[in-house]
Amino acid sequence: MMQTDWTTGATAARRDAYYAASLAKFVPFREPLVFKKGQMQYLWDVEGRKYTDLLGMNLCISVGHSHPRVVAAAMEQAQELTHCTTMFYHPVPAHFAEELAATMPKGPQGDIEWVVHFTNSGAEAIDLAMTMARTFTGNLDLLALRTAYHGPTAAAQSITGIAGWRHPGMPGNVAFVADPNQYRGIFGAGTQPYLDEIERTIQTATTGQIAGMFIEPVQGYGGIVEMPEGYLSGAAERVRAAGGLYIADEVQSGFGRTGDHMWAFEADGAIPDIVVMAKGIGNGFPLGAVVARKHVATPMAEKFMFHTYGANPTSCAAGREVLRVIAEDGLQRNAKDVGGALLEQLRELQQRHRCIGDVRGRGLMQAIEIVSDRKTKEPDKAATAAVFEACRDAGLILSKSGPNQSVLRMVPPLCLSMDDVGMVADGLEAAFASLSR
């Protein structure tokens, strides 16, 4: 059996020596942190120190680290047949596709049919959704929001509006519209000015006929920015009038995370034409999916399209169990209740610390935005980094996000409990108090 050196110094040295430079920017802390064990909402490092995971390993852990039911389902399938290419039939991904489609709204008349294409990751699912929209409509131009994050592949980068994630050589035919950010949006609070901006952008930055618009109902990496009431339905109306499709990116906000609904887009009235999902879908097993209205997906049959491990039966077995655990353990309701209690604590924290410009969130998608001045709303990247490091010392794992890296993003596993809320609040209080020291 191959030996593994778990020591922090050796692990960091080995990563630094053999990981490509493209991964260097993603290291979050000043000093290396090596995790060895995870159980539900908790993590332990190689020194045995316990942490509360408010990041959900970048939202990939939805129902809990090493959830015994999910692990058992995947192990049972892996021991029988680890992989089966989509060239052939297998019951597990077929069942999972049926069960996933059943979570989608059927429309007022109950006549919307949904179909599923499994991918390896969320970025691949975004790429496929782009191709699907362009194939169905015959149009090329796409719209996205200015602080959207949709993935690191070349195509997904092209609809990502954050400079730090964009590299040379991205494909074109993308126009960006102003985010309806109710804290720092360019038109202030409200919805209508941002919908008017969609119309202006279609008229001035596209051919007038578009393939679609990608929207995260709650922006994740962009800083937990929830679309205001009426924005999704208003955007869908304008996009469809220009020949395009409304595409909801639920990679971070889906699977009950926002508490009120299974899918965050359900908070508004419009039903998407395409829904992209990944991360929490497999609770850590690599998997993504494009779920589309059947007639929208049909033209894709004209040419080959598949993803090597997309319908992997082991990952799909995990995904099926994730759906069951969410339903049977009441995790959507838990996200609503625990998230509500956590948000109350964050608002109290804001009253005590002037550097907190805004707190926001829905369910278990929460954010603290840090500023140097509440009046000017100037982002304070340095203070955010200092609080972030102090959170580690307090046993909290979260992330910096937003276009200015001035937002603390909290997206824990859906099993975070009421008992954890006080401990999280105390840890955050200690982290912010450390700024004055």
Side-chain angles (χ1 to χ4, degrees):
M1 183 177 179
M2 297 180 66
Q3 297 298 310
T4 300
D5 186 342
W6 279 94
T7 59
T8 300
T11 299
R14 192 167 282 112
R15 172 172 172 146
D16 291 344
Y18 296 106
Y19 272 30
S22 49
L23 291 170
K25 190 82 172 177
F26 212 56
V27 176
F29 294 110
R30 285 192 294 265
E31 297 298 327
L33 178 57
V34 180
F35 288 121
K36 188 171 186 179
K37 178 185 175 183
Q39 182 177 354
M40 303 306 283
Q41 65 268 48
Y42 305 118
L43 290 162
W44 286 263
D45 64 20
V46 289
E47 279 79 36
R49 185 175 183 194
K50 182 181 178 182
Y51 301 83
T52 300
D53 183 8
L54 299 178
L55 179 59
M57 285 293 100
N58 216 10
L59 291 110
C60 294
I61 303 301
S62 52
V63 299
H65 285 280
S66 302
H67 194 290
R69 288 176 53 182
V70 177
V71 171
M75 285 182 62
E76 181 180 356
Q77 178 55 56
Q79 290 170 338
E80 184 172 79
L81 181 66
T82 304
H83 180 61
C84 178
T85 177
T86 50
M87 293 169 60
F88 304 105
Y89 290 75
H90 193 280
V92 171
H95 273 290
F96 188 33
E98 179 183 19
E99 292 156 1
L100 206 53
T103 68
M104 294 288 119
K106 300 299 185 286
Q109 308 301 320
D111 58 351
I112 298 179
E113 295 183 85
W114 298 93
V115 292
V116 179
H117 182 127
F118 290 116
T119 66
N120 307 315
S121 69
E124 282 192 347
I126 289 289
D127 289 6
L128 173 58
M130 293 171 71
T131 300
M132 192 177 288
R134 285 167 167 160
T135 299
F136 177 78
T137 64
N139 301 324
L140 292 178
D141 291 333
L142 290 165
L143 301 184
L145 294 172
R146 287 182 186 166
T147 55
Y149 174 75
H150 294 291
T153 59
Q157 280 188 45
S158 73
I159 57 172
T160 291
I162 302 173
W165 285 100
R166 293 167 64 87
H167 294 77
M170 295 175 293
N173 293 102
V174 176
F176 290 93
V177 299
D179 299 75
N181 186 321
Q182 300 297 285
Y183 176 63
R184 60 168 66 252
I186 62 172
F187 299 120
T191 301
Q192 191 60 44
Y194 298 97
L195 294 176
D196 293 341
E197 181 72 356
I198 293 175
E199 292 183 350
R200 282 192 292 268
T201 303
I202 292 173
Q203 292 164 6
T204 60
T206 77
T207 62
Q209 290 291 297
I210 65 174
M213 182 174 181
F214 282 78
I215 307 176
E216 299 166 271
V218 182
Q219 289 184 334
Y221 190 83
I224 311 299
V225 178
E226 184 180 0
M227 298 301 104
E229 184 178 357
Y231 183 80
L232 295 177
S233 55
E237 179 183 349
R238 287 154 177 79
V239 166
R240 286 166 177 159
L245 303 179
Y246 160 36
I247 304 146
D249 181 345
E250 292 273 4
V251 170
Q252 296 198 29
S253 59
F255 292 95
R257 176 161 294 280
T258 56
D260 292 313
H261 306 92
M262 182 66 167
W263 307 107
F265 70 77
E266 293 181 275
D268 210 333
I271 300 174
D273 300 293
I274 300 173
V275 181
V276 179
M277 57 191 69
K279 291 193 181 293
I281 189 174
N283 200 51
F285 286 87
L287 188 62
V290 173
V291 183
R293 298 190 190 208
K294 188 173 184 177
H295 71 281
V296 169
T298 296
M300 290 291 292
E302 296 176 6
K303 292 188 177 182
F304 285 102
M305 174 61 74
F306 85 109
H307 297 83
T308 300
Y309 291 103
N312 173 271
T314 302
S315 291
C316 286
R320 293 187 73 191
E321 198 62 31
V322 166
L323 287 183
R324 294 190 185 97
V325 171
I326 290 173
E328 294 172 12
D329 290 1
L331 293 186
Q332 179 181 312
R333 179 71 194 194
N334 187 70
K336 179 181 177 66
D337 294 343
V338 176
L342 179 57
L343 188 59
E344 287 182 12
Q345 293 291 326
L346 299 187
R347 287 173 176 154
E348 291 182 14
L349 193 71
Q350 184 181 21
Q351 298 303 311
R352 295 191 295 273
H353 299 279
R354 294 289 300 170
C355 65
I356 300 178
D358 191 35
V359 298
R360 54 183 178 262
R362 179 183 289 266
L364 287 176
M365 293 190 82
Q366 307 278 337
I368 299 172
E369 184 156 354
I370 300 177
V371 297
S372 57
D373 186 290
R374 285 188 178 180
K375 187 174 181 180
T376 65
K377 301 180 182 179
E378 181 69 24
D380 196 332
K381 185 175 180 179
T384 307
V387 174
F388 176 73
E389 290 283 346
C391 282
R392 170 181 171 171
D393 296 337
L396 305 179
I397 299 299
L398 34 70
S399 77
K400 295 174 289 184
S401 67
N404 301 298
Q405 292 283 284
S406 59
V407 177
L408 296 177
R409 178 181 60 149
M410 289 164 281
V411 283
L414 303 180
C415 56
L416 191 78
S417 72
M418 284 293 187
D419 292 338
D420 296 313
V421 171
M423 181 274 301
V424 170
D426 289 344
L428 288 170
E429 174 62 42
F432 276 95
S434 70
L435 283 180
S436 61
R437 298 196 296 271

